Amino acid sequence: FLSLALLTKGIPFLAIYWGTLILYLLLEKLIFKKPFEVGKRLILPFAVSLIAALPILAWYLYAYLHYGELFVKVFQSEVIHRALNPNKGWNFSFYFLVILWAFLPYSLLFYYSLPGLLLRLKRLEELLFPLAWFITVLGIFTLAKGKIPVYILPAFPAMAILTARLERVDHKVVDFIITFSSILMLGATVAVAYYFNLYSSFELWIFILLTAALLLALDRLKFYRLAVATVPLMFLFVFSILPMVEKYRPYKEVLTELKREFPNYQLATLGFYFHNFPFYWRGKVYKLHSIDELSKLKTKKVLLFAEKPLKGWKVVKKVELYKGSESRFVVFLRDIKNHKRFGTFYFQVKN
């Protein structure tokens, strides 16, 4: 599984693995006065991680032999530069704010759980490892200059364990947070439905009423009530919001059609590049910075993607695409609603 994680996210992901392990052993020594054992508890996991890294190291070697300096350049820009880029500044509070909405509906409970956990850590020794796991992920991606909300996802399993400790805690504050979060989720459903003019959906209101009835029935199962309160919002997103969003992401339809119409052409982008293109084009996509770079391509059959029609080229497809980052999903939804950051682009072939 570690090999699969490294193949998915790259060799730097070992920093989370090693960081969690070392921090856990250090906290164990500092808090519980246990010896910092270097044997099986440190050397063996390090050895296992190096073995797990062999598949991706083999892939790195293959990519370097095949692409040479191009692979090194991409690795530096997409991994090293993204993490250390000084121009992006440093935002300490970024992931603390992201957790508030990304870990809904349990984010408020998670934040409430942390102080109590730290005060009772000597009695809750079994939670030391997930705590070290959370601190490591939060620390690494807080220090990294490049930030997008999904980077915090590796911490979610640990956060779930740290939150679940409250499941059997009989406390008025916990009860209040659960009730408040449940109302918040139902309110968010109504607000999103109103914002996107979906409040006339009969199925949605039936779903909300059934959810409210189920919440009353689950009076003693507090944690389950909170999960149930999220279901209408998930229903709204799956059956209304996401299908609507896909209308503004026509990459598959457009590129499949063009691939069928121009099967022997090379796709090149001029000035603006979408990372979805290679996947749906099912082939290499050339990224050009100027029209003069076309001469470097080995074929004259070029399907050119640009922000404006070019002289001597015939427009075969005009499409409107989002120019912002789709990874910031809430901003993406707001821009869809206000129709902002969209631009018209042209697929062209030489006359």
Side-chain angles (χ1 to χ4, degrees), residues 76-329:
Q76 287 178 335
S77 64
E78 294 299 315
V79 179
I80 308 297
H81 189 64
R82 182 179 290 187
L84 303 176
N85 185 1
N87 297 325
K88 291 189 176 182
W90 189 69
N91 186 349
F92 173 77
S93 63
F94 183 83
Y95 286 111
F96 288 100
L97 295 174
V98 166
I99 287 170
L100 273 177
W101 60 265
F103 200 61
L104 285 172
Y106 292 97
S107 54
L108 295 179
L109 276 176
F110 169 70
Y111 279 135
Y112 178 75
S113 175
L114 274 182
L117 170 66
L118 295 174
L119 291 173
R120 299 173 180 84
L121 202 52
K122 288 194 174 182
R123 289 197 288 110
L124 299 169
E125 183 180 351
E126 69 276 8
L127 296 177
L128 183 63
F129 182 78
L131 179 63
W133 179 352
F134 167 70
I135 293 173
T136 301
V137 176
L138 181 67
I140 287 174
F141 289 118
T142 296
L143 291 174
K145 298 297 177 69
K147 288 180 174 60
I148 58 175
V150 295
Y151 285 172
I152 198 65
L153 285 177
F156 277 19
M159 290 163 58
I161 296 171
L162 297 177
T163 307
R165 80 173 188 86
L166 298 176
E167 198 267 338
R168 295 183 181 180
V169 173
D170 187 16
H171 197 283
K172 289 183 179 180
V173 176
V174 174
D175 294 344
F176 172 78
I177 293 174
I178 290 175
T179 303
F180 178 78
S181 298
S182 300
I183 296 171
L184 185 66
M185 297 312 299
L186 292 174
T189 305
V190 175
V192 170
Y194 178 79
Y195 187 74
F196 288 101
N197 298 319
L198 300 170
Y199 49 83
S200 60
S201 171
F202 178 75
E203 295 87 350
L204 175 62
W205 286 107
I206 291 295
F207 218 77
I208 290 176
L209 290 174
L210 289 174
T211 300
L214 188 56
L215 287 175
L216 294 174
L218 294 173
D219 183 46
R220 295 185 179 181
L221 301 172
K222 296 174 289 187
F223 264 58
Y224 295 98
R225 292 179 70 191
L226 188 47
V228 168
T230 313
V231 173
L233 187 61
M234 300 301 294
F235 174 87
L236 184 64
F237 267 85
V238 170
F239 293 103
S240 297
I241 302 295
L242 294 182
M244 177 198 68
V245 167
E246 285 304 306
K247 295 177 182 178
Y248 296 89
R249 304 179 69 254
Y251 311 108
K252 180 180 179 181
E253 294 79 4
V254 171
L255 290 171
T256 301
E257 177 190 334
L258 291 170
K259 185 74 172 180
R260 188 166 50 245
E261 190 175 349
F262 302 97
N264 299 319
Y265 279 66
Q266 297 286 347
L267 178 59
T269 66
L270 178 62
F272 211 97
Y273 183 83
F274 286 89
H275 292 281
N276 311 68
F277 279 13
F279 181 80
Y280 292 114
W281 181 251
R282 299 192 179 281
K284 184 177 177 63
V285 178
Y286 295 90
K287 186 178 181 180
L288 309 179
H289 297 93
S290 69
I291 195 70
D292 297 331
E293 294 182 25
L294 276 174
S295 60
K296 297 179 182 179
L297 300 183
K298 296 179 181 179
T299 178
K300 293 184 178 180
K301 290 186 174 182
V302 177
L303 177 63
L304 185 65
F305 172 82
E307 287 189 87
K308 59 182 180 180
L310 301 177
K311 188 176 181 180
W313 291 73
K314 175 187 174 184
V315 175
V316 294
K317 188 75 176 180
K318 183 173 76 170
V319 63
E320 191 176 52
L321 297 174
Y322 183 59
K323 299 170 75 172
S325 172
E326 295 178 9
S327 63
R328 300 176 66 189
F329 191 62

Side-chain angles (χ1 to χ4, degrees), residues 10-40:
I11 200 73
F13 194 81
L14 275 178
I16 294 177
Y17 179 86
W18 289 344
T20 301
L21 174 64
I22 294 171
L23 180 61
Y24 171 64
L25 295 177
L26 284 173
L27 290 176
E28 208 176 41
K29 178 177 177 59
L30 290 172
I31 298 171
F32 298 101
K33 310 302 181 185
K34 293 187 178 181
F36 190 91
E37 298 177 9
V38 179
K40 289 184 178 181

Side-chain angles (χ1 to χ4, degrees), residues 33-66:
K33 310 302 181 185
K34 293 187 178 181
F36 190 91
E37 298 177 9
V38 179
K40 289 184 178 181
R41 302 192 71 199
L42 191 60
I43 294 177
L44 183 59
F46 267 70
V48 169
S49 68
L50 293 176
I51 294 171
L54 291 178
I56 195 171
L57 292 175
W59 185 86
Y60 283 158
L61 177 62
Y62 167 80
Y64 178 73
L65 293 175
H66 193 70

